[in-house]
């Protein structure tokens, strides 16, 4: 998204995400899970498509509550695959449910998904990608990079001259602490 800072402001969908979320540290596991699932669903599509469907995703995945999604069975899976409001890709739906279960395990082992991320920070993107591929489903280099940038673990979400970048730096995201 090298030109995101030029095109996102004032856009009805990109603007609020660019200005208030993209690149800022995320503390809650449910919000981290949401970002991971949205990034997975963006694969092969435009980010605008995902942002337009975000409210439907939030409803379909019950606010991205990790414990709820991790418990989904066949009925919930079919419900998601039949929900025209979201991206109905079987691999992506299966990855969301599976990854929620993985996050539950990380929570049990590390206290939280965020604590697991913090325990592995900092490291180069290539190492993050290897870690995510070993841990989660449907997490290639671009998905991992965008997830980590969007949640403040990697720099690069904004240009240095973007006004939002100053707010991000002031909030001391993980990439400034590593």
């Amino acid at each position: 998204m090298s030109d995101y800072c030029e095109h996102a402001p004032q856009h009805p969908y990109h603007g609020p995400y660019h200005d208030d979320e993209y690149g800022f540290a995320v503390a809650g596991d449910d919000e981290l899970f949401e970002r991971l699932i949205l990034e997975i669903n963006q694969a092969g599509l435009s980010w605008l498509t995902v942002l337009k469907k975000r409210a439907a995703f939030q409803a379909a995945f019950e606010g991205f509550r990790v414990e709820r999604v991790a418990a989904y069975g066949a009925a919930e899976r079919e419900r998601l695959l039949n929900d025209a409001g979201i991206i109905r890709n079987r691999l992506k739906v299966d990855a969301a449910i599976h990854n929620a279960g993985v996050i539950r395990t990380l929570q049990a082992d590390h206290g939280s998904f965020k604590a697991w991320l913090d325990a592995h920070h900092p490291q180069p993107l290539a190492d993050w990608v290897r870690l995510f591929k070993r841990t989660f489903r449907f997490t290639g280099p671009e998905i991992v990079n965008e997830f980590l940038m969007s949640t403040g673990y990697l720099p690069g979400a904004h240009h240095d001259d973007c006004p939002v970048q100053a707010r991000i730096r002031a909030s001391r995201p993980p990439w400034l602490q590593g």
Side-chain angles (χ1 to χ4, degrees):
M1 292 191 178
S2 61
D3 61 350
Y4 201 55
C5 295
E6 286 83 37
H7 298 290
Q10 310 307 315
H11 188 278
Y13 291 96
H14 289 298
Y17 181 75
H18 170 272
D19 294 351
D20 300 318
E21 294 181 74
Y22 191 50
F24 288 94
V26 175
D29 281 2
D30 292 346
E31 188 176 350
L32 285 165
F33 177 58
E34 175 186 13
R35 295 283 183 89
L36 180 60
I37 299 312
L38 294 178
E39 292 297 345
I40 286 170
N41 276 277
Q42 188 273 328
L45 302 169
S46 75
W47 186 238
L48 181 57
T49 298
V50 173
L51 289 176
K52 284 181 175 180
K53 292 180 174 282
R54 190 175 189 183
F57 270 108
Q58 289 170 336
F61 284 94
E62 301 181 74
F64 291 99
R65 291 187 316 228
V66 173
E67 73 280 357
R68 294 290 302 242
V69 178
Y72 282 5
E76 291 88 353
R77 180 179 178 273
E78 285 307 308
R79 174 183 57 79
L80 292 169
L81 290 171
N82 289 310
D83 187 336
I86 66 169
I87 296 161
R88 296 176 292 174
N89 177 297
R90 186 173 307 277
L91 294 174
K92 293 175 181 183
V93 167
D94 288 347
I97 296 167
H98 173 81
N99 291 344
V102 169
I103 291 171
R104 291 294 290 158
T105 300
L106 296 176
Q107 290 171 329
D109 294 345
H110 298 273
S112 68
F113 182 23
K114 182 183 181 331
W116 179 81
L117 289 165
D118 291 344
H120 292 285
H121 177 75
Q123 61 181 319
L125 177 59
D127 292 344
W128 279 113
V129 170
R130 280 190 289 281
L131 177 65
F132 269 68
K133 283 186 166 215
R134 278 194 319 264
T135 309
F136 298 104
R137 284 190 188 160
F138 215 103
T139 52
E142 188 63 26
I143 290 167
V144 173
N145 184 51
E146 281 297 326
F147 169 73
L148 293 170
M149 275 198 314
S150 79
T151 57
Y153 282 93
L154 289 178
H158 298 272
H159 295 300
D160 284 337
D161 61 349
C162 177
V164 177
Q165 182 73 337
R167 290 179 32 230
I168 289 172
R169 283 182 170 278
S171 73
R172 303 277 307 141
W175 64 266
L176 274 177
Q177 300 172 28

